[in-house]
Amino acid sequence: MPESPAPAPDRTTTGTRLRRYHWLTAVPTIILLGGIPFVNRVHPMILGLPLLIAWILLWVVVISGVMGFVLYLDRAHARDGDGR
Amino acid sequence: MNAALAILAVTFAVAVALGLAARRGHVMNLEQWSVGGRAFGTVFVFLLMAGEIYTTFTFLGGSGWAYGKGGPALYILCYGAIAYSWSYFLLPIIWRYAREKKLVSQADFFVAKYDSNALGVLVALVSVAALVPYLVLQLKGLGIIVSEASYGRVPSTAAVWAGAGALTLYVIVSGVRGSAWTAALKDVMILGVALVLGIYLPFHYYGGYGAMFEAIDRAKPGFLTLPASGMSPSWFISTVLLTATGFYMWPQFFAGAYTAKREDVFRKNAVILPLYQLVILFVFFVGFAAILQVPGLEGADGDLSLFRIAEQTFSPATVGVIGAAGLLTALVPGSMILLTGATILAQNVYRPMASVASDRGVTLLARSLVGVIALASVWLTLRGGEAIVPLLLMGYNMVTQLFPALFFSLPERPMVSTAAAAAGILAGEATVAYLSLSGASVATLLPWAPQVVKDLNVGIVALIVNFAVLGVVGAITRAPRAPALAPGQSPER
């Protein structure tokens, strides 16, 4: 079986190391799910959407934002050379 | 009518041509066929990982759930986003190990980590048992979509045979590259269709989202929220967590991660995919719009709501485009399932049992098995009635049982023994089988519990049994001490 191409040096990220700010990524998930019993209603509607739908929409967008922020921090660490 | 048929036929032909052309320039050994030579960039991995979102289950079932169940359908919006955020940490670890050990299947991961071919066989059997109902569901959906979109001109049976034939052909020829290329076409079409329908229909029939939801709320009070018992908030939260846990345990997505060229691909995808899957919201809008426009679809017929409202609203040509998009939502996941099932059987069941197995032989067998699995699935699709939906739900619970053993194997060396991992999986699967066959729920198991507990998704019980058995057996047996295999040495080769 031919070899796969040699591993490209992956300097853009920080490897497996868990950092304290990685816990940030759990926050929107916890708020999204923890809030469900409290927003389980139609009114007030937000942007024409029932509150329950608007709540889920908001926190899914925040999940994406937080993942982006963490990726940015990870890359900054990797660039500073203390990532590995 | 002919316009719809022509569009369906052209899309089908283009998809098959793309699937076949994907092979160009690649010698198809096992690594190339199963995991694309581990050379996919962000876009292809993105398309494979997004595959789970737009299966026929979400296309028909998403609108069907919004139409028939209302608020509870929203769980589908949550679990994907959460699973994708977890993938930021999970997939790079899996990918790195898979690359080092040259793994081609999910079962390979367990074989290498726990240094046990027997555990690989167990995982392989679980995988195939879960994959086949999933494929059957795609084929069933394909039959419904094509017969609806062709206004009954193409009978569902013919569509199932044609779809399965096409899948077999391009999976055998191109492997995972065929899936990736057709996925590109699929995502463009489905994105367009979902956005157009999800925006046009609420405005066309109601004048806007607010007016639509007010009308539904007046006609069916409480429909747009979660009920106080049954599919209550406690059901919602437990189901989201359970499905998010099982998400990457599906063998086709697990092995899909092997195709990446760099691990950074996963981290970028973890940012984009939660947003991308929000497009399902527009599929829900279609189902919601249909409630008051095409009322009276009961039970499983709710899955037809998207097509019924489309047929009532648009010209046959437009319905043809919608059907073509739907057709692709069956072909792409179907091809990944076929590929994965065939790879697992050849690599993790045949190879360890054969005394001498060359890579060539395993590749040849895997490619032949594609036809066998496709035939078996067509047979089940045409013979099996409604029984397949419970089987799929069982399949989801079955793959979820792989999570504990995977989780404890993530550190450099597994934290638990092979016996513990196997015992946990076996106990979990036995519980899933018992719960599914007996139709038990937490409410029937714990009749005295408060409603909040009664409404928990019963799949949690199997996962708890799994963890408990794994813990007990793990406490009395020892985790493998030495590294499972010498670095660079691939499993059972």
Side-chain angles (χ1 to χ4, degrees), chain B residues 275-438:
Chain B
L275 288 184
Y276 187 70
Q277 57 104 46
L278 279 179
V279 178
I280 295 173
L281 189 56
F282 291 87
V283 177
F284 289 159
F285 290 157
V286 177
F288 284 129
I291 292 171
L292 300 177
Q293 299 307 320
V294 285
L297 300 173
E298 293 294 329
D301 282 347
D303 290 356
L304 301 176
S305 58
L306 186 143
F307 275 101
R308 289 295 144 80
I309 194 170
E311 284 160 13
Q312 176 182 313
T313 317
F314 300 110
S315 68
T318 313
V319 173
V321 174
I322 298 167
L327 173 74
L328 293 169
T329 64
L331 291 183
V332 175
S335 66
M336 280 180 79
I337 296 167
L338 261 183
L339 172 84
T340 308
T343 303
I344 291 173
L345 284 179
Q347 168 80 356
N348 302 106
V349 179
Y350 164 74
R351 192 195 282 265
M353 289 179 181
S355 47
V356 188
S358 64
D359 268 344
R360 234 186 134 77
V362 170
T363 312
L364 194 68
L365 178 69
R367 290 167 91 168
S368 333
L369 280 170
V370 169
V372 177
I373 298 174
L375 265 182
S377 304
V378 169
W379 186 77
L380 283 170
T381 309
L382 301 180
R383 295 296 302 272
E386 293 310 306
I388 203 68
V389 174
L391 274 182
L392 177 79
L393 296 178
M394 193 165 128
Y396 216 119
N397 276 324
M398 284 174 71
V399 293
T400 308
Q401 300 310 316
L402 300 176
F403 179 78
L406 173 85
F407 181 78
F408 288 114
S409 79
L410 287 179
E412 207 168 320
R413 288 174 213 166
M415 296 158 72
V416 296
S417 68
T418 309
I425 293 173
L426 283 171
E429 302 301 351
T431 313
V432 167
Y434 168 76
L435 293 174
S436 310
L437 296 176
S438 67

Side-chain angles (χ1 to χ4, degrees), chain B residues 167-204:
Chain B
L167 282 180
T168 308
L169 188 66
Y170 79 71
V171 170
I172 288 180
V173 171
S174 303
V176 73
R177 288 181 184 274
S179 302
W181 282 41
T182 43
L185 177 64
K186 176 194 85 158
D187 275 44
V188 170
M189 285 195 70
I190 200 79
L191 200 65
V193 163
L195 288 177
V196 168
L197 293 186
I199 293 169
Y200 179 79
L201 292 173
F203 278 90
H204 176 68

Side-chain angles (χ1 to χ4, degrees), chain A residues 10 13 16 40 64 74-75, chain B residues 88 96 226 263-264 267 271:
Chain A
D10 202 349
T13 46
T16 36
N40 186 22
S64 168
D74 275 347
R75 284 183 171 169
Chain B
Y88 186 96
R96 224 173 290 139
L226 305 172
E263 59 180 84
D264 202 39
R267 302 199 172 94
V271 179

Side-chain angles (χ1 to χ4, degrees), chain A residues 7-17 19 21-22 67-84, chain B residues 42 88 92 95-96 261-269 271:
Chain A
D10 202 349
R11 299 201 194 290
T12 47
T13 46
T14 59
T16 36
R17 201 163 142 191
R19 297 174 179 279
Y21 60 77
H22 282 149
M67 297 318 293
F69 181 57
V70 166
L71 178 62
Y72 167 79
L73 291 179
D74 275 347
R75 284 183 171 169
H77 274 285
R79 265 196 304 277
D80 296 346
D82 65 345
R84 316 213 127 218
Chain B
T42 310
Y88 186 96
W95 175 86
R96 224 173 290 139
K261 188 162 44 181
R262 297 178 315 272
E263 59 180 84
D264 202 39
V265 162
F266 303 120
R267 302 199 172 94
K268 274 190 255 171
N269 278 337
V271 179

